[in-house]
Amino acid sequence: QVQLVESGGGLVQAGGSLTLSCAASGRTFSSAVMAWFRQAPGKERDLVSGITWTGGLTYYADSVKGRFTISRDNAKNTVSLRMNSLKPEDTAVYYCAAAPRYSNIILAARMYDYWGQGTQVTVSS
C-alpha cells in the first residue's frame, strides 16, 4: 500500500516559519518527481513547489519564490518544504504529491498519482 504522510502544519503568525515534511512508504519514490500543492477554501489546488528525483531541478510558484525551499532525502523517502516569511495568503491545506511516471516537474495536479491526506497551514495577521 502506497502512502504519503504529511506533518508539520499548524498555526503561525505572519512572518513566522514552518517546515512541512512528507514521508513516503510502500514503494520507493527515489525516481519520482515530488511536489507540494496547496488548496485554500473555494480555490483550486495549485502547485507550490516541485523537485526532480536528483534534487537538481526545483520549481517554485512566483508567490513563494525566495521564501520557500523544497528538499528531498531519497535514502529516507522524504521531501520537505521550509516556509519562511509566511503571509496570511499562504493559509491553505498543503498536500504532498508524487509523480513516478515523470522525470520533469509538471504543474497539473491531475498528473500526480499519489497524494497525502493534507496538512493545514494557517497564518494569522
Side-chain angles (χ1 to χ4, degrees):
Q1 183 178 0
V2 175
Q3 255 193 326
L4 297 178
V5 179
E6 301 102 336
S7 60
L11 173 64
V12 64
Q13 288 188 331
S17 298
L18 284 174
T19 298
L20 304 183
S21 296
C22 174
S25 62
R27 61 167 288 175
T28 179
F29 286 94
S30 61
S31 61
V33 168
M34 300 293 294
W36 289 94
F37 285 77
R38 68 185 180 188
Q39 188 168 21
K43 295 189 177 181
E44 294 186 352
R45 189 173 298 190
D46 293 324
L47 179 62
V48 174
S49 182
I51 187 168
T52 54
W53 73 275
T54 64
L57 183 62
T58 57
Y59 167 88
Y60 296 96
D62 287 342
S63 59
V64 306
K65 280 181 182 176
R67 300 188 298 122
F68 290 13
T69 303
I70 191 170
S71 60
R72 66 188 295 166
D73 185 335
N74 289 336
K76 297 181 179 179
N77 262 4
T78 59
V79 61
S80 298
L81 186 68
R82 175 66 177 177
M83 306 185 295
N84 295 327
S85 303
L86 283 161
K87 304 175 181 180
E89 50 264 43
D90 294 318
T91 295
V93 178
Y94 284 70
Y95 296 90
C96 176
R101 294 179 290 153
Y102 299 95
S103 58
N104 293 318
I105 298 167
I106 46 179
L107 304 184
R110 67 181 186 277
M111 306 306 285
Y112 288 78
D113 295 320
Y114 302 102
W115 292 86
Q117 81 287 354
T119 185
Q120 177 71 46
V121 172
T122 303
V123 184
S124 62
S125 57

